[in-house]
Amino acid sequence: MKPASFAYLRPTTLHEALEALAAGDGREVRPIAGGQSLVPLMNLRLALPDILVDLNGVPELTGIRDEGDRIRIGAMTRQCSLLQDPLVADRVPLLRLGMKHVGHLQTRARGTVGGSLVHADPAAELPLLMVTLGASMHLQSRSGVRDVPAGDFFLDAMETALASDEILVAVSVPAAPPGSRQVFRELARRHGDFAIVAVAAQYGPAGLALGIGGLEKVPRRCTELERELRDGATDWTAALAAEFAESVPLSDLHAGADYRKRLAEVLIGDCLTEILL
Amino acid sequence: MRVQCHVNGDAVDRDVEPRMLLSDFLRHELRLRGTKVGCEMGVCGACTVIVDGEPVRSCLLFAVQVTGAEVRTVESLATADRLSELQEAFRKHHALQCGYCTAGILMTLQALIEQDALPREEVAIREALSGNICRCTGYQNIVDAVREVAS
């Protein structure tokens, strides 16, 4: 289908973009990043913005920077950069591992890191990766800036803490400690599809960080599991049961709740086997 | 709204609605009908073109977004009297039947050729083409054509 009509703005600075977002006058104003999630919604008329603010002309929003103990990734950085950039491979290798499962050549060429994060699909890999790594989201509006930890950013399926006049400008990811190990496991109908369930894990001197995505409405750390393993548990079956006792897994045409839960247990078991032993 | 860009090397300057998709701009404004529209929601790859050196889904871009860019479509591959090496390999290996997905696949591969990144092993070729759906060929002849070009 064809999208409904809209007015199109192409700011050249972040300031201009933020002004445009705040100046709706009751009309719906939306930013467009890579468009790989938004334009399908517009073509299907599930999204009907009155004004589109194109962020592709704002240079401040791109780039990957080394900040010592963190890597700062501009929100408009193309997804393919995470696969190609040596800084990412070297300092945040888990991002690169997970990125291999995201979409296809064409969607990674245009799709952005920030776009996937604010779209917040429950089965998307980038939100899971940021939550697992304890990344920090940098949000900005006309009134100022604020930082939100990834764990607090994803509120519900397709819903984040981003206000309607805010833009995600960058995400900072803690660098992997030297000698740490990373693993990423996903099951999808086809390679590149959204995950049915995905698991991301990093194990280093500070212990284990393990995140689960696709299972529930938002990705999260498996804090119960992490704690029990840190306290010395060797049988993780019991720890898994405790972790998912209260879980309400998603159920859709790809997989029922029981299957997703079982899949989560299997994939986590695989990850732990690989990363701890 | 004005869109000024280059398409297949030619300067283009038109006035279109912001909501006009790049795929429709190419096909209806510029009458370059080689680019096909399959799903119009970014999953089939039939609409793939090259924008500033990258293979992208033209059904997920608005024409107004490519102002200042270099756009290349399947029409840029052959000359007046010769198919490109890639197209010739497709012909030789019978890598198309209905041809609807073919333009999108050719442009995906062309972008990789120009980035010096054309895969030569079967698994890597299939992975590179994972964003292009073909209902006719079963992909094997396409893989064979790519293997020949990559060698």
Side-chain angles (χ1 to χ4, degrees):
Chain A
M1 262 185 79
K2 312 301 177 185
S5 294
F6 55 87
Y8 174 81
L9 299 173
R10 195 179 171 91
T12 54
T13 68
L14 181 55
H15 176 78
E16 251 187 272
L18 294 173
E19 287 291 321
L21 275 193
D25 272 342
R27 290 166 299 169
E28 185 185 337
V29 188
R30 284 185 83 147
I32 181 168
Q36 305 301 285
S37 299
L38 179 60
V39 184
L41 291 178
M42 290 177 70
N43 287 352
L44 293 168
R45 301 213 174 183
L46 295 171
L48 298 158
D50 298 306
I51 301 172
L52 218 55
V53 178
D54 193 338
L55 300 180
N56 287 279
V58 180
E60 299 108 289
L61 296 175
T62 58
I64 301 174
R65 261 188 1 226
D66 187 344
E67 295 196 335
D69 60 345
R70 318 175 75 78
I71 302 298
R72 186 183 167 103
I73 302 170
M76 285 299 293
T77 303
R78 303 292 174 193
Q79 289 169 7
C80 55
S81 300
L82 294 189
L83 286 172
Q84 295 155 357
D85 194 301
L87 202 56
V88 172
D90 191 45
R91 309 292 302 289
V92 280
L94 186 58
L95 278 190
R96 198 167 158 275
L97 280 184
M99 206 52 229
K100 293 183 188 192
H101 293 265
V102 179
H104 309 282
L105 209 64
Q106 300 96 335
T107 64
R108 292 190 300 259
R110 186 81 193 163
T112 64
V113 174
S116 175
L117 293 174
V118 304
H119 186 65
D121 190 295
E125 293 83 353
L126 277 168
L128 167 63
L129 290 163
M130 297 309 175
V131 164
T132 303
L133 291 170
S136 188
M137 312 295 192
H138 305 298
L139 313 179
Q140 194 165 340
S141 71
R142 208 167 47 164
S143 353
V145 300
R146 63 186 182 116
D147 293 343
V148 176
D152 298 333
F153 185 69
F154 302 100
L155 303 177
D156 204 331
M158 326 302 281
E159 195 184 313
T160 69
L162 190 76
S164 59
D165 65 341
E166 277 180 323
I167 287 176
L168 172 70
V169 297
V171 53
S172 292
V173 192
S180 59
R181 284 153 42 187
Q182 293 79 23
V183 67
F184 189 92
R185 285 270 192 281
E186 170 176 318
L187 193 82
R189 294 282 300 280
R190 299 165 306 167
H191 183 86
D193 279 357
F194 284 107
I196 298 176
V197 171
V199 179
Q202 179 160 278
Y203 181 60
L208 173 71
L210 190 142
I212 183 90
L215 178 71
E216 296 157 352
K217 290 193 278 197
V218 296
R220 63 175 174 85
R221 293 272 292 267
C222 294
T223 47
E224 191 59 41
L225 179 71
E226 289 171 4
R227 194 179 54 74
E228 297 220 8
L229 291 173
R230 191 166 54 240
D231 292 347
T234 46
D235 171 14
W236 54 66
T237 328
L240 279 174
E243 181 67 59
F244 296 119
E246 309 290 307
S247 173
V248 183
L250 295 171
S251 192
D252 61 19
L253 77 104
H254 299 298
D258 287 346
Y259 181 70
R260 276 204 162 84
K261 191 164 170 182
R262 181 81 190 104
L263 194 51
E265 289 164 0
V266 169
L267 289 181
I268 292 176
D270 286 352
C271 277
L272 292 176
T273 303
E274 185 175 327
I275 211 171
L276 295 181
L277 301 181
Chain B
M1 175 163 253
R2 202 166 177 198
V3 50
Q4 286 180 292
C5 60
H6 283 85
V7 179
N8 298 335
D10 297 326
V12 164
D13 187 345
R14 298 294 168 105
D15 190 48
V16 296
E17 284 187 275
R19 71 178 176 136
M20 175 170 258
L21 300 173
L22 180 60
S23 44
D24 291 333
F25 180 76
L26 294 169
R27 291 172 52 79
H28 304 306
E29 276 293 309
L30 303 183
R31 288 177 160 39
L32 296 169
R33 282 155 180 162
T35 305
K36 302 295 185 271
V37 175
C39 68
E40 214 154 43
M41 53 182 214
V43 297
C44 79
C47 72
T48 304
V49 297
I50 298 177
V51 175
D52 288 339
E54 297 290 343
V56 291
R57 301 192 180 317
S58 63
C59 73
L60 298 188
L61 271 166
F62 300 108
V64 293
Q65 288 187 284
V66 302
T67 279
E70 302 270 343
V71 180
R72 304 230 319 282
T73 69
V74 70
E75 284 88 350
S76 71
L77 296 183
T79 62
D81 52 356
R82 280 180 68 177
L83 297 176
S84 72
E85 188 191 347
L86 185 62
Q87 288 173 311
E88 184 54 43
F90 267 54
R91 188 201 62 77
K92 177 178 166 189
H93 290 274
H94 202 53
L96 63 150
Q97 292 181 28
C98 81
Y100 205 76
C101 72
T102 306
I105 290 185
L106 287 172
M107 295 318 284
T108 299
L109 294 170
Q110 184 64 27
L112 289 173
I113 288 172
E114 290 170 10
Q115 292 169 13
D116 206 26
L118 190 70
R120 38 186 85 186
E121 302 300 330
E122 171 136 8
V123 171
I125 293 170
R126 286 176 179 270
E127 183 143 338
L129 291 175
S130 69
N132 297 82
I133 299 176
C134 173
R135 301 300 282 142
C136 295
T137 67
Y139 303 98
Q140 189 59 53
N141 290 352
I142 298 173
V143 170
D144 294 344
V146 176
R147 264 216 286 251
E148 176 173 312
V149 173
S151 65

